Amino acid sequence: MLDIEGLVTGYGSTTVLRGADLSVGRGEVTCLLGRNGVGKTTVLRAAMGLLPTWKGVLRWEGTPISALPTHRRARLGFGFVPQGREILPQLTVEENIRIGGFASGERDPEIPPELFDYFPDLKKMLRRRGGNLSGGQQQQLAIARALMGRPKLLILDEPTEGIQPNLVALIRSVVTALNRERGLSVLLVEQKIGFARKIGHAYTILDRGQVVADGRMESLDDSVIRAHLEVS
């Protein structure tokens, strides 16, 4: 579905990714792993068009998209939940969710009732300001907002960061359900190895801007974890 080949990019004059390769299969959850600072978020931002492709190519369902702006990628079916969630604090929960609908080109997006099947707590908070939510509630809101664009690929940047354990379990169950029930493909950056093993079909490990290991999740062994990952 999404294929990244030989990606070179970075920030200003600093090169972060040095020829990275990554694929996300249709209907699969691919976990992008690695220690802090190795370029994981940079891959996601490049995939969304928030960073330019200096070298290499990105393909979506076989079609090159390296030159497409972010809003065009969103309309192709990309949904993005950034690290830190980026909730608009002065807007209500309902307004934050509706904003996600504009990604698909809707002028007056309506929230589908089934969205609250995944996040029932949000239905009780529609009039509450986004800035007044807890970190876990904001993460639910950010995912719900991304789903409003009816994505084919959901890109998540460390969705468990700073979240209490019961909400980590909720987010895991929601992403798993979306994958199994809707066939939603997922590209996930994650630090918690246990979480990644439970949710992922495939993994890719970055180190110093390059892919150093990849494969099916069941093949991820402890020697690879010790060599390239923070144990958690």
Side-chain angles (χ1 to χ4, degrees), residues 62-126:
T63 300
I65 60 167
S66 303
L68 288 184
T70 299
H71 73 276
R72 292 279 303 279
R73 299 187 199 198
R75 293 187 182 184
L76 285 175
F78 287 49
F80 184 39
V81 180
Q83 189 177 23
R85 301 174 279 275
E86 296 185 8
I87 294 303
L88 298 174
Q90 296 304 314
L91 298 186
T92 65
V93 167
E94 181 176 6
E95 290 166 337
N96 269 281
I97 295 174
R98 285 182 185 276
I99 283 173
F102 294 111
S104 61
E106 294 184 52
R107 293 187 176 182
D108 187 20
E110 293 294 325
I111 302 175
E114 59 268 23
L115 191 64
F116 299 118
D117 293 341
Y118 298 105
F119 301 110
D121 286 349
L122 293 182
K123 190 173 184 179
K124 307 170 188 175
M125 304 176 183
L126 289 176

Side-chain angles (χ1 to χ4, degrees), residues 43-65:
V43 171
L44 303 191
R45 290 177 60 81
M48 282 302 304
L50 297 169
L51 287 174
T53 299
W54 294 347
K55 291 183 182 179
V57 63
L58 283 70
R59 291 187 177 88
W60 173 251
E61 299 181 327
T63 300
I65 60 167

Side-chain angles (χ1 to χ4, degrees), residues 185-201:
S185 301
V186 180
L187 174 57
L188 166 75
V189 162
E190 185 52 60
Q191 291 282 359
K192 293 182 173 64
I193 305 306
F195 183 91
R197 279 178 152 165
K198 289 176 181 177
I199 203 171
H201 299 105

Side-chain angles (χ1 to χ4, degrees), residues 135-230:
Q137 292 165 343
Q138 287 190 0
Q139 188 65 68
Q140 294 176 66
L141 176 55
I143 296 173
R145 180 180 60 189
L147 293 175
M148 278 290 291
R150 295 189 289 274
K152 299 176 183 177
L153 173 66
L154 183 62
I155 299 175
L156 301 169
D157 195 353
E158 298 209 32
T160 67
E161 183 181 32
I163 305 299
Q164 60 197 66
N166 65 313
L167 292 180
V168 169
L170 171 64
I171 289 168
R172 185 180 72 235
S173 67
V174 167
V175 174
T176 300
L178 289 166
N179 172 251
R180 292 177 178 174
E181 296 169 7
R182 295 191 182 187
L184 183 65
S185 301
V186 180
L187 174 57
L188 166 75
V189 162
E190 185 52 60
Q191 291 282 359
K192 293 182 173 64
I193 305 306
F195 183 91
R197 279 178 152 165
K198 289 176 181 177
I199 203 171
H201 299 105
Y203 73 89
T204 297
I205 299 177
L206 279 182
D207 196 356
R208 300 180 184 179
Q210 295 181 310
V211 173
V212 293
D214 59 16
R216 305 303 296 175
M217 187 60 75
E218 59 268 21
S219 72
L220 178 59
D221 61 37
D222 290 343
S223 64
V224 175
I225 292 173
R226 286 193 298 268
H228 300 292
L229 303 175
E230 304 289 350

